[in-house]
Amino acid sequence: MGMAGGGSAGWQSRRTRRRAPPVMAEINVTPMVDVMLVLLIIFMVAAPLLTVGVPIDLPQTQANAVNQDNKEPITLSVRENGQVYLGDSEIKYEDLVSKLQAVTQARGGLEERIFVRGDRKANYGTIMRVMGRLSGAGFKKVALVTEVEQGG
């Protein structure tokens, strides 16, 4: 008898003691926000560094901007002292066409857009020699890069 009464009371007390804690249904977004803010700062600092090229003082003009497609154009730079750069690397004038053809074969052939950036103090003849080599090699989309003229 004593066993029957104690057994049922003990079973109920065990049942109430072993309740599982409620499940937390909230997502903690604080770590994700922290990571996103850090990435935002990194990209804001790194973005201006990606456009760094050969430092050139471009001439100013009132010409209209050229319509661009989504592909990044090939950039040739002619410095004040006559040095020629393909992108950021210096190349010899004699190797200009061969290196440019190697780059354009991988990208789109002779139809690839080429921008020539000539320093304001560079010799006009040097820039025209580069343009002449490009034209003689069959490149059709060659453009000179300038800055927008300031003032009136």
Side-chain angles (χ1 to χ4, degrees):
M1 271 204 252
M3 215 163 147
S8 65
W11 178 77
Q12 286 180 354
S13 65
R14 265 189 272 152
R15 186 172 148 206
T16 58
R17 271 190 277 147
R18 295 198 184 210
R19 268 200 168 159
V23 176
M24 189 171 124
E26 297 176 9
I27 297 175
N28 189 1
V29 295
T30 304
M32 182 181 69
V33 171
D34 290 344
V35 169
M36 296 304 281
L37 287 174
V38 169
L39 288 175
L40 177 68
I41 292 170
I42 289 172
F43 288 132
M44 286 173 56
V45 170
L49 300 176
L50 297 176
T51 59
V52 173
V54 179
I56 288 186
D57 185 20
L58 293 173
Q60 295 180 352
T61 183
Q62 293 180 353
N64 293 332
V66 176
N67 292 335
Q68 294 184 9
D69 50 7
N70 292 339
K71 288 172 50 174
E72 185 71 24
I74 297 172
T75 304
L76 283 176
S77 303
V78 180
R79 294 199 66 186
E80 171 180 1
N81 56 4
Q83 293 173 319
V84 180
Y85 289 82
L86 177 59
D88 292 335
S89 58
E90 183 179 0
I91 59 172
K92 295 180 183 175
Y93 175 75
E94 298 79 25
D95 299 335
L96 175 65
V97 173
S98 62
K99 289 196 178 192
L100 200 54
Q101 284 176 338
V103 169
T104 56
Q105 290 295 33
R107 294 182 60 166
L110 297 177
E111 294 296 321
E112 189 67 29
R113 183 180 300 269
I114 301 172
F115 285 175
V116 178
R117 300 172 63 228
D119 193 287
R120 176 187 317 222
K121 297 177 185 172
N123 184 353
Y124 181 74
T126 304
I127 296 172
M128 288 300 105
R129 278 182 39 211
V130 169
M131 297 277 295
R133 291 288 299 258
L134 296 175
S135 177
F139 294 104
K140 299 174 185 162
K141 295 184 177 181
V142 180
L144 289 171
V145 178
T146 62
E147 290 180 341
V148 177
E149 190 171 23
Q150 302 295 324

